[in-house]
Amino acid sequence: MSETTEIVAATLPVQGAEPVPTNSARILIIDDEAAIRESLETMLTLEGFSVDLAVDGASGMDFLARNHYDLLLLDLALPGESGLDLLPRIVEMHPELPVIMITAFGTMGNVVDAIRAGAENFVQKPWDNEKLLADIRTAIARHKAEEENVQLKRTLKQRYNFSNIVGKSEPMLRLFDLIAQVAPSRSTVLLQGESGTGKELFAKAIHANSPRRDHPFVPVNTGAVPSELLESTLFGHVKGAFTSAIASKKGLFEVANGGTLFLDEIGTMTMDMQAKILRVLQDRRFMHVGGVHEIQVDVRIIAATNVNLQDAVRAGRFREDLFYRLNVINLELPPLRSRREDIPLLASHFLKLYATENAMEERILSPDALRILLDYEWPGNVRELENAMERGVVLSTSKTITPELLPAQLTGNTYTAALLDRQPDASLFDLMEDIERRIIADRLERCHWNQTEAAEYFRIPLSTLNQKIKRLNVEIRKRPRD
C-alpha cells in the first residue's frame, strides 16, 4: 500500500474491504412517551444501532452537547419546548446531523415547517418499521459519507492539492497515488476517460502538485478550435502571416513556458497538426506561423481524450508515433458508474456549491432521491451529476431535493409521454422533430458542446449534424466544466 492510501485508509472504507456499516451508528431519540421510546429502542438495538433516550427537550439538548450522534429521532409534541421549537437550535449546533421528526399529528403545515427548519424527513405514528429503518439507514449513510468527505479533503489538502477532486472509492485512491508519483516528473501524461469524468481537474491536480505549480497551467480544447486556427493558437504567428494577422501574437506553447499545457480532446486533431505537435514533443522547438526563427520552450504536456487512440491509430486517424510520445504515462479515469460509493459525496459537494452560488440555504437529498442517483447508470458521468444537482438546487423551494426535482432521464419519466401531453394535436412529423431536437441537444451537452465529438457519436458527418442543428433550431450553449 502506498503512502497516500495509508493516509486515508484509517478513515475511509474502500472497495474490496468490508464497508463501514450504517448500523454501527449512534442514534438519539427525544420523545416523552415511554412506550414509543422503548419500541424504537428495541427495534434499533436489534438492528445493531447504539441508542440513547431523552424524555424532553432539555435532556435531549444535554445529550447533544455531550455526545456525537449520527441521527436524531425527534418527537414533534414534547412537553415545554416542542420539537419544532427545538429544531432550529439543534440545526444551529449540529448543521450536519440528520433529523427525522416523528408525530401522531402530521398535518401538511407541520411537515412544511419541519422541513424548512432543517428536518430531513417526517414520520407519522404508527409507522411502518421497514420503511422507517430504510429511511434511517439512508440518512445515516449520507451523514457518514459527508463526514468522510470532509475528513478526506482535510487529509489530502494537508499533503496534496486535490481539493477540487471528490472521491473515496478504490479507483479514486489509486488515481491519487498515481498523481502523487507522476506529478514531480517531467513526463508527458495521457488522460483517458469518458466525457464528463473530470479530465481537466486531474490535469490541474498534476500541475498543482508538480515543481511547475508556480508557472502557468494553460488548457486548450483542441476539438473546439477550428482546425485552420489551431496552429496559430498553439504556436502563435507573425504579423502578416495570413490576412487577419495584423499583429504578431504569442501561441499557447509560449504562454505555458515553464508550466503545463493541457491539450484536451487531442484525438480530434488533423494528421497535419499531429505532425507539428510531435515535433514539439521531440525537440521542444517550434516556429511561429509565418516565422523563420525557432523558439525553444520548456513545457510539460498533459493530453486528454475520450476516444480510444489505439483504435484511432489502427483506423489511420491518429499517428502511431505521436500516440507513443503521448502515452508515456497513461491514467485511465473511471466512469461514475464504476465508483458508485462516490455518488453521495459528489452530490453533497455540488449541492453545497450551487446553493452557495445562488445565495440559497444548503440543500440535501431525500432518501428516495439518493436511491435514484445510486441506481442510475450516469452516461454523462460527473458532469451529468453536477448538472442534475444544479437543476435541483435552482428549482427547489425547500431544503430537501426530492425525486420530482431530478431530470427526467434519472427518474424514468419519458420525454415522449410529456410531449404527447403538451402537444396532443401535433403531427407525427412535428413530434419526431421535437424528439430529434431533444436528443441532439442532450448529446451536445454531454459532449461539452463539441460538435465534432457529437457527430462521431451519432456516426454522421459533421456537416450533417450542423444542418440538423440549424434546421431544428437547436440552442448551442458553451459552458465548460472540465
Side-chain angles (χ1 to χ4, degrees):
M1 180 182 292
S2 72
E3 192 173 5
T4 310
T5 306
E6 287 172 350
I7 292 172
V8 295
T11 56
L12 297 177
V14 296
Q15 204 172 37
E18 285 297 319
V20 176
T22 58
N23 60 354
S24 66
R26 191 171 186 180
I27 298 175
L28 175 63
I29 300 169
I30 306 178
D31 198 301
D32 62 317
E33 294 185 52
I36 296 296
R37 290 197 306 273
E38 292 170 5
S39 173
L40 286 170
E41 182 183 26
T42 300
M43 178 183 71
L44 295 173
T45 302
L46 288 173
E47 291 295 317
F49 294 104
S50 174
V51 181
D52 287 333
L53 305 175
V55 298
D56 55 28
S59 59
M61 295 301 288
D62 185 54
F63 272 109
L64 287 169
R66 290 185 289 108
N67 304 296
H68 173 83
Y69 293 98
D70 298 290
L71 182 80
L72 170 61
L73 292 171
L74 177 63
D75 188 23
L76 179 70
L78 293 171
E81 280 189 289
S82 70
L84 277 179
D85 294 331
L86 283 172
L87 188 55
R89 290 170 53 198
I90 293 169
V91 170
E92 185 177 0
M93 286 176 57
H94 305 283
E96 301 300 326
L97 178 65
V99 179
I100 295 179
M101 301 290 291
I102 51 178
T103 183
F105 310 101
T107 66
M108 182 55 66
N110 287 337
V111 173
V112 172
D113 290 342
I115 297 299
R116 283 179 175 170
E120 174 152 326
N121 212 337
F122 202 98
V123 178
Q124 189 168 358
K125 306 172 186 175
W127 54 78
D128 178 275
N129 282 353
E130 288 304 315
K131 186 178 185 309
L132 177 58
L133 282 171
D135 289 344
I136 287 172
R137 290 191 187 99
T138 301
I140 290 174
R142 181 186 60 79
H143 176 60
K144 284 183 175 289
E146 288 179 350
E147 286 189 329
E148 289 166 356
N149 194 21
V150 170
Q151 179 61 35
L152 174 65
K153 284 185 174 181
R154 184 182 298 120
T155 303
L156 292 176
K157 273 183 179 179
Q158 289 171 356
R159 186 164 184 83
Y160 301 110
N161 190 1
F162 295 158
S163 56
N164 291 323
I165 303 178
V166 177
K168 67 181 182 66
S169 61
E170 181 64 21
M172 293 299 289
L173 294 182
R174 285 198 299 269
L175 272 176
F176 292 149
D177 282 339
L178 288 170
I179 290 172
Q181 289 179 271
V182 166
S185 73
R186 295 170 54 89
S187 299
T188 300
V189 178
L190 178 62
L191 301 175
Q192 296 194 103
E194 297 176 7
S195 290
T197 49
K199 291 183 281 293
E200 185 170 332
L201 281 180
F202 283 96
K204 287 179 178 177
I206 293 170
H207 173 77
N209 290 284
S210 76
R212 299 171 179 266
R213 67 178 67 87
D214 296 325
H215 296 277
F217 173 86
V218 180
V220 55
N221 187 329
T222 61
V225 180
S227 57
E228 62 271 18
L229 297 179
L230 185 57
E231 184 177 2
S232 172
T233 300
L234 292 176
F235 304 130
H237 60 258
V238 298
K239 181 179 178 180
F242 43 86
T243 304
S244 58
I246 59 175
S248 297
K249 182 181 178 181
K250 286 184 176 181
L252 294 183
F253 269 96
E254 286 177 272
V255 174
N257 193 25
T260 303
L261 181 63
F262 174 55
L263 300 175
D264 198 6
E265 306 298 351
I266 197 165
T268 62
M269 281 186 179
T270 64
M271 297 295 281
D272 180 57
M273 195 67 219
Q274 290 174 35
K276 293 180 171 66
I277 292 292
L278 177 63
R279 183 169 183 271
V280 181
L281 287 175
Q282 289 172 332
D283 303 333
R284 304 290 171 179
R285 295 174 182 273
F286 65 92
M287 288 192 295
H288 288 149
V289 176
V292 294
H293 300 293
E294 285 194 327
I295 300 167
Q296 185 164 7
V297 288
D298 173 23
V299 174
R300 183 186 198 169
I301 299 295
I302 301 178
T305 179
N306 61 3
V307 300
N308 188 311
L309 290 186
Q310 288 179 300
D311 289 345
V313 169
R314 285 190 285 268
R317 297 193 307 272
F318 201 82
R319 293 180 63 109
E320 186 174 20
D321 47 4
L322 178 58
F323 170 71
Y324 288 117
R325 277 284 177 181
L326 293 172
N327 198 40
V328 177
I329 297 172
N330 189 320
L331 299 183
E332 287 279 350
L333 307 192
L336 186 55
R337 60 185 171 275
S338 72
R339 56 183 186 106
R340 292 184 185 275
E341 57 266 57
D342 291 335
I343 290 173
L345 303 183
L346 286 160
S348 175
H349 169 77
F350 291 132
L351 289 176
K352 290 177 182 176
L353 173 67
Y354 287 108
T356 301
E357 274 195 11
N358 291 282
M360 299 169 73
E361 182 185 2
E362 187 178 316
R363 279 9 186 189
I364 61 172
L365 289 166
S366 72
D368 289 340
L370 179 57
R371 291 188 197 106
I372 289 171
L373 299 189
L374 291 171
D375 289 340
Y376 186 60
E377 285 300 299
W378 298 109
N381 292 295
V382 177
R383 189 187 299 130
E384 186 180 10
L385 175 60
E386 179 179 2
N387 291 343
M389 295 302 94
E390 181 181 9
R391 168 196 167 95
V393 169
V394 172
L395 296 182
S396 62
T397 56
S398 66
K399 182 178 180 180
T400 304
I401 305 296
T402 58
E404 293 75 26
L405 297 176
L406 298 177
Q409 69 266 23
L410 273 67
T411 59
N413 298 328
T414 63
Y415 173 71
T416 50
L419 191 63
L420 289 170
D421 289 339
R422 289 200 309 269
Q423 304 182 40
D425 299 325
S427 68
L428 178 61
F429 178 77
D430 291 335
L431 291 172
M432 291 177 68
E433 276 204 338
D434 211 336
I435 293 170
E436 187 177 14
R437 182 182 301 110
R438 170 66 176 254
I439 291 171
I440 291 172
D442 181 67
R443 176 47 53 182
L444 283 168
E445 184 172 8
R446 294 186 185 191
C447 292
H448 211 181
W449 307 102
N450 184 328
Q451 295 178 29
T452 301
E453 183 182 328
E456 289 179 356
Y457 175 85
F458 289 129
R459 300 177 186 175
I460 60 175
L462 179 59
S463 58
T464 302
L465 178 61
N466 286 330
Q467 290 170 8
K468 288 180 176 291
I469 290 171
K470 291 177 183 177
R471 178 172 59 83
L472 297 169
N473 288 322
V474 177
E475 181 184 359
I476 301 297
R477 291 181 287 133
K478 292 186 178 179
R479 189 170 164 228
R481 285 296 182 201
D482 63 55

